[in-house]
Amino acid sequence: MPSLSSLIDQAALSCAKARKAIALTGAGISVESGIPPFRGKGGLWAKIDPMKYAHIEALERNPADVWRVLFMGIADLLKTAEPNAGHMGLQRLERLGVLQTVITQNVDGLHQKAGSRDVIEFHGTHTTLRCMSCGQRASWQTVRLDVLPPPCACGGFLRPDVVMFGEPINVALLQRAQMLAATCEVMLVVGTSATVEPAAYLPVIAKHNGAFIIEINPEPTPLTDDISSVALLGPAGAMMDRIVQAVAGYKEGRL
Ligand code: APR
């Protein structure tokens, strides 16, 4: 079993040599920012039934409940969440000319807050709202939350701009993400349980195109044995710090 240091060195060397690396991130990269994951230890879905509150049919049937139980809780978490070393590490790989795009399943906006410039929000974003009827967008700052669901001037109601279970992924984002997965040389897969399609298939597309897959997760996932080239079994912040330090060393010819 290779040591963690040698796995990190392999990961860093593949990044340093890559002309086109991309990242796929999940809720785990935001855990160190105080945002719980959905599955695994402390997962949100252990407390809230996703089919009862995170499915589009639940929102259509019972918008006030979904707002009260799910959306308000997430909004509170996002108010104080700041990027952590995991987000900053991906931003630094972009500045080092290694990373081109972050494809994130997260809706917290933390990659953009960290300074990443090309972010595909595969499951939308919780940082803005839109009307279910007319599609009019609104910001959290301008919306009154003493009435749930918040009304739209058109008579409809507002909801976060996220992709709920039962809703499709934006076709243009899906096609771009699949094209990037099919053409990248390295894919960093950080903090995802790799259980929700179609995001979970992106690393498989990358692997089949010959990419080097670097998985970062304290736990093994369905990718770990057959898809990941190296699996760094640790938290995103510390692992990204070590990768970036080694990549910078290779880039500056110090290693
Ligand atoms: N660093 C890295 N990974 C971590 C950390 C950490 N500090 N802490 C936990 N993890 C890992 C967990 O081991 C788990 O594998 O992050 C993963 C989080 O998995 P999920 O909660 O399932 O999150 P994600 O994979 O993003 O879920 C995909 O499911 O519910 C939907 O729309 C939601 O976008 C979400 C999608």
Side-chain angles (χ1 to χ4, degrees), residues 17-89:
K17 286 191 294 189
R19 282 186 311 283
K20 185 172 173 184
I22 65 172
L24 171 70
T25 66
I29 200 170
S30 295
V31 164
E32 292 158 82
S33 296
I35 300 175
F38 294 100
R39 300 169 186 82
K41 204 161 54 183
L44 190 63
W45 296 152
K47 303 179 186 85
I48 297 176
D49 178 352
M51 289 306 114
K52 221 170 138 206
Y53 292 103
H55 197 287
I56 183 62
E57 286 169 11
L59 180 64
E60 286 163 347
R61 203 175 38 249
N62 227 328
D65 268 0
V66 170
W67 259 95
R68 191 172 37 77
V69 171
L70 184 66
F71 293 155
M72 291 305 284
I74 294 178
D76 284 346
L77 283 167
L78 299 196
K79 268 186 205 139
T80 53
E82 290 299 327
N84 64 61
H87 302 100
M88 295 315 295

Side-chain angles (χ1 to χ4, degrees), residues 146-184:
D146 51 346
V147 173
L148 296 179
C152 174
C154 79
F157 67 84
L158 300 169
R159 41 80 58 95
D161 234 338
V162 297
V163 178
M164 298 181 81
F165 287 113
E167 288 190 298
I169 302 292
N170 172 292
V171 173
L173 296 185
L174 176 61
Q175 286 172 342
R176 182 164 184 244
Q178 289 171 332
M179 178 277 297
L180 288 167
T183 56
C184 67

Side-chain angles (χ1 to χ4, degrees), residues 25-29 31-32 36-41 43 45 50 105-107 123 163 165 190-196 216-221 234-237:
T25 66
I29 200 170
V31 164
E32 292 158 82
F38 294 100
R39 300 169 186 82
K41 204 161 54 183
W45 296 152
Q105 301 171 85
N106 300 339
V107 296
H123 291 161
V163 178
F165 287 113
V190 190
T192 181
S193 61
T195 50
V196 174
I216 297 176
N217 194 322
E219 307 290 335
T221 72

